[in-house]
């Protein structure tokens, strides 16, 4: 396995249908280890102290904590019900999960080590992905099977409003000024943009940015201005200018591109090819796939500590 001598931390790829994680050496670009997790690991997130990456095992009702530098398993936390998607709040006080198959969003108090369930919020059909505004005031969650966007007040843990979206909303990403929310329409052909600038009024849909069929997962390009979205059906990745709300570049990504990460220098996209069992490395300067690494079944979450600014 990869040890402390490696100059770069590993790239993690969650193999959802294998219940494990591929650990990739980012210098040799080979899989060096498989980490066993609970059933259906889909997404992962770094703890506020940056000492652990938390892997959410949806059907395993558990979290696997892993050292982001050495890939050593640190501990497993059980009793976390259906953690499909997960996120820590920017103020580092809350850990939020979306229970995709059970139709609720859960609020856990985080004390730096342990999680305590405080509130379970019933939502609508199939809460998918989460986003929290920069001031830790509002949690936004897409509803994949009822085509809705839901806003939950962080202080009261109650739903503030819900609005309709385009078909099968998935991942979402808020602009740095907290005024706009970008939502991938997996059942459509683009990214829907919502105005969330008002504290008093529900979000308002302002446009759909054409990107490609199956727009699904986002990742910041690292410059505070651009955003990548994977188009899972179109087999492409689009680069979006958040200010002009237009797609400015496109990259081929065969095999059903899903979750991504971006290298620290912003040049390379690491993306899981969901249907091809591969991790692809895309050079955004050359605009092509330059590496392909075999991983497990249905690769989903992709993450490395050595990433571009979120």
């Amino acid at each position: 396995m990869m040890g402390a001598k490696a100059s770069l931390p590993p790239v993690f790829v969650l193999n959802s249908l294998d219940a494990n994680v591929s650990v990739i050496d980012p210098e040799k670009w080979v899989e060096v280890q498989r980490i066993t997790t609970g059933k259906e690991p889909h997404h992962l997130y770094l703890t506020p102290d940056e000492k652990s990456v938390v892997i959410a095992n949806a059907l395993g009702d558990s979290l696997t904590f892993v050292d982001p530098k050495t890939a050593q398993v640190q501990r497993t936390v059980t009793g976390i019900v259906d953690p499909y998607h997960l996120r820590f709040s920017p103020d580092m006080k809350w850990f939020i999960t979306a229970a995709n198959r059970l139709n609720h969003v859960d609020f856990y108090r985080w004390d730096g080590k342990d999680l305590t369930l405080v509130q379970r919020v019933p939502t609508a059909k199939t809460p998918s992905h989460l986003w929290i505004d920069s001031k830790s005031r509002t949690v936004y969650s897409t509803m994949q099977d009822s085509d809705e966007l839901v806003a939950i007040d962080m202080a009261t843990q109650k739903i503030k409003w819900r609005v309709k979206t385009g078909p099968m909303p998935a991942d979402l990403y808020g602009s740095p000024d907290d005024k706009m929310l970008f939502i991938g329409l997996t059942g459509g052909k683009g990214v829907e943009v919502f105005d969330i600038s008002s504290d008093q009024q529900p979000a308002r849909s302002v446009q759909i940015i054409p990107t490609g069929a199956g727009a699904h997962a986002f990742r910041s390009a690292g410059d505070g201005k651009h955003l990548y979205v994977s188009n899972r059906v179109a087999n492409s990745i689009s680069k979006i200018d958040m200010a002009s709300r237009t797609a400015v570049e496109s990259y081929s990504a065969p095999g059903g591109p899903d979750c991504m990460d971006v290298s620290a220098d912003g040049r390379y996209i690491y993306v899981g090819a969901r249907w091809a069992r591969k991790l692809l490395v895309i050079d955004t300067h050359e605009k092509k796939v330059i590496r392909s690494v075999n991983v497990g079944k249905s690769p989903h979450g992709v993450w490395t500590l050595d990433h571009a600014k979120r």
Side-chain angles (χ1 to χ4, degrees):
M1 65 164 287
M2 184 172 301
K5 293 182 180 180
S7 59
L8 291 175
V11 177
F12 297 94
V13 181
L14 308 192
N15 302 313
S16 295
L17 295 185
D18 279 339
N20 60 33
V21 180
S22 293
V23 181
I24 309 299
D25 182 328
E27 295 174 309
K28 297 180 180 178
W29 290 107
V30 295
E31 182 186 67
V32 293
Q33 183 185 356
R34 286 277 179 104
I35 300 171
T36 299
T37 62
K39 293 181 180 179
E40 290 202 14
H42 289 292
H43 297 99
L44 64 172
Y45 206 88
L46 189 67
T47 55
D49 62 10
E50 299 188 355
K51 293 181 179 179
S52 304
V53 59
V54 184
I55 297 164
N57 310 306
L59 284 183
D61 291 340
S62 65
L63 305 172
T64 304
F65 285 66
V66 177
D67 188 308
K69 296 179 180 179
T70 67
Q72 293 283 350
V73 175
Q74 297 167 324
R75 61 180 171 135
T76 298
V77 176
T78 59
I80 307 297
V81 177
D82 190 24
Y84 174 75
H85 199 251
L86 70 165
R87 185 171 287 275
F88 282 95
S89 60
D91 65 7
M92 302 182 184
K93 295 179 180 179
W94 295 98
F95 178 74
I96 317 293
T97 62
N100 186 258
R101 61 190 168 90
L102 298 178
N103 302 331
H104 54 77
V105 169
D106 290 349
F107 284 70
Y108 292 87
R109 178 67 70 179
W110 170 255
D111 66 2
K113 179 184 178 183
D114 296 318
L115 298 165
T116 304
L117 179 64
V118 174
Q119 189 63 263
R120 180 157 288 155
V121 182
T123 53
K125 291 183 67 177
T126 325
S128 181
H129 290 65
L130 304 166
W131 181 264
I132 303 174
D133 73 297
S134 65
K135 297 181 178 62
S136 301
R137 293 177 179 174
T138 305
V139 181
Y140 301 94
S141 179
T142 51
M143 300 295 134
Q144 180 179 312
D145 291 327
S146 57
D147 298 341
E148 293 176 292
L149 170 66
V150 170
I152 305 172
D153 184 81
M154 291 282 289
T156 64
Q157 292 102 50
K158 293 182 179 180
I159 291 178
K160 297 199 296 184
W161 48 254
R162 62 176 69 238
V163 297
K164 294 298 290 185
T165 68
M168 290 184 67
D171 201 7
L172 63 172
Y173 189 95
S175 60
D177 59 7
D178 287 329
K179 292 183 177 181
M180 293 291 169
L181 199 62
F182 299 82
I183 297 179
L185 300 178
T186 305
K189 296 183 178 180
V191 171
E192 189 166 11
V193 184
F194 281 84
D195 183 336
I196 55 170
S197 59
S198 174
D199 289 333
Q200 308 300 322
Q201 300 295 323
R204 179 175 58 90
S205 179
V206 295
Q207 75 180 90
I208 293 179
I209 304 170
T211 58
H216 188 74
F218 292 109
R219 188 62 90 192
S220 169
D223 59 4
K225 300 177 181 179
H226 296 92
L227 188 63
Y228 292 114
V229 61
S230 58
N231 307 304
R232 200 158 67 183
V233 178
N235 289 318
S236 67
I237 293 173
S238 299
K239 186 177 185 179
I240 294 172
D241 183 311
M242 287 189 282
S244 66
R245 304 199 294 271
T246 58
V248 294
E249 288 186 357
S250 181
Y251 315 93
S252 176
D258 205 300
C259 292
M260 301 171 281
D261 213 341
V262 177
S263 62
D265 62 6
R267 177 168 179 171
Y268 302 102
I269 301 171
Y270 313 136
V271 59
R274 194 76 180 268
W275 318 130
R277 302 187 186 185
K278 294 182 182 299
L279 173 71
L280 307 179
V281 180
I282 297 173
D283 187 324
T284 61
H285 292 186
E286 297 184 11
K287 296 186 178 181
K288 66 179 183 181
V289 175
I290 59 170
R291 293 183 181 88
S292 177
V293 183
N294 292 328
V295 291
K297 294 179 182 177
S298 193
H300 201 169
V302 175
W303 187 90
T304 182
L305 187 62
D306 190 44
H307 59 242
K309 187 177 179 180
R310 300 289 194 233

